[in-house]
Amino acid sequence: MKKKLVVLSGAGISAESGVKTFRDSDGLWEGHNVLEVATPEGFRKNPKLVLDFYNERRRQLSKVNPNAGHLILAALETHFDVEIITQNVDNLHEKAGSTKILHLHGELLKARSTGTGNENYILDWETDLNLGDLDDKGFQLRPHIVWFGEDVPALEEAVSIVQNAAVLIIIGTSMQVYPAAGLMNFAPKNTPVFYIDPKPAHIYDSPHEIKIMATTATNGMQIVQEELMKMI
């Protein structure tokens, strides 16, 4: 039986493919205040601005490709039972060939209903999403993105996945965005943990064996791949 390899991925792995990280140091995302484009209040105030913003992000997906970090994770499925829990809303893990991916914060290529009680109405959506695009009950559709102030529906499933990890990789995340940042704490005690980020967060009093690599996702995954092959 293959060992369970769980991966927690963040914006850093996508950044190497040319995808902008969620929030730059100035608090802006592609020139927009995140409160304008990534909150329910922002959507209620100016839905067209928000829809246009995510339409542009969606268009960008056709112009970017997986990098070596994504491809190594996909290749590791040959030797491990790999499950990826990602904070990213892009589809680069899918493009790389990974088969078990849980998107904590939603997906750009999906839309969902704004209607109360119809939140589970979710569609695949690869083109622009506009005002007037409605669900089956006449409610406006919105990006299938978990905005600031909203619950993370996939959190319980993510916890369950991490609880079964034999090895944990944390890649391209500052470990500052909760609840995702707390997922590592659910891994079994003494689980080997590889943490890859150019500016890794300080982790205190962890019961896990953490190997921190202050480097890029691609460089780090090349190192980790060699380490993992010794565990087979």
Side-chain angles (χ1 to χ4, degrees):
M1 181 180 293
K2 295 178 180 178
K3 287 185 177 180
K4 172 75 73 177
L5 173 60
V6 176
V7 181
L8 307 179
S9 73
I13 190 170
S14 293
E16 290 187 62
S17 290
V19 177
K20 285 279 190 175
T21 54
F22 184 80
R23 192 194 301 216
D24 294 329
S25 58
D26 57 5
L28 300 179
W29 187 15
E30 293 283 338
H32 292 274
N33 185 309
V34 292
L35 297 179
E36 295 178 349
V37 296
T39 64
E41 294 78 14
F43 185 68
R44 285 194 292 268
K45 179 181 177 181
N46 193 340
K48 186 177 186 305
L49 171 68
V50 175
L51 292 176
D52 287 346
F53 176 81
Y54 287 98
N55 286 342
E56 181 58 31
R57 307 285 79 70
R58 198 176 297 109
R59 291 185 207 118
Q60 287 179 355
L61 292 187
S62 65
K63 303 174 185 176
V64 295
N65 293 300
N67 57 57
H70 295 104
L71 296 172
I72 290 171
L73 288 173
L76 284 171
E77 292 191 9
T78 301
H79 304 287
F80 293 87
D81 178 11
V82 182
E83 290 204 58
I84 298 173
I85 301 167
T86 185
Q87 299 175 59
N88 301 331
V89 297
D90 59 60
N91 64 340
L92 291 176
H93 283 302
E94 286 88 347
K95 277 187 175 182
S98 291
T99 59
K100 295 181 180 179
I101 306 156
L102 180 67
H103 286 267
L104 272 184
H105 296 158
E107 300 178 61
L108 273 174
L109 295 182
K110 290 186 178 180
R112 76 169 186 259
S113 171
T114 58
T116 301
N118 208 28
E119 293 87 353
N120 291 328
Y121 184 91
I122 300 169
L123 299 173
D124 291 329
W125 202 277
E126 297 187 3
T127 59
D128 285 359
L129 182 61
N130 301 305
L131 288 175
D133 288 328
L134 309 178
D135 71 0
D136 60 343
K137 296 182 180 178
F139 292 106
Q140 173 66 42
L141 293 172
R142 55 162 278 185
H144 183 47
I145 304 292
V146 177
W147 288 326
F148 286 107
E150 295 185 319
D151 291 334
V152 181
L155 184 60
E156 187 174 335
E157 183 179 353
V159 168
S160 178
I161 292 169
V162 175
Q163 286 175 331
N164 290 298
V167 183
L168 183 65
I169 300 175
I170 302 169
I171 179 171
T173 173
S174 63
M175 299 289 284
Q176 300 299 312
V177 178
Y178 286 84
L183 284 172
M184 181 184 74
N185 300 325
F186 292 96
K189 187 177 180 180
N190 298 323
T191 300
V193 178
F194 298 93
Y195 178 23
I196 306 165
D197 193 79
K199 297 180 180 179
H202 294 289
I203 300 174
Y204 302 100
D205 301 323
S206 173
H208 305 106
E209 307 167 23
I210 303 178
K211 182 172 183 178
I212 298 176
M213 286 163 280
T215 186
T216 62
T218 52
N219 288 340
M221 279 309 305
Q222 289 168 355
I223 297 169
V224 170
Q225 185 179 32
E226 294 179 5
E227 293 288 322
L228 291 174
M229 290 303 101
K230 300 173 185 176
M231 298 182 184
I232 299 173

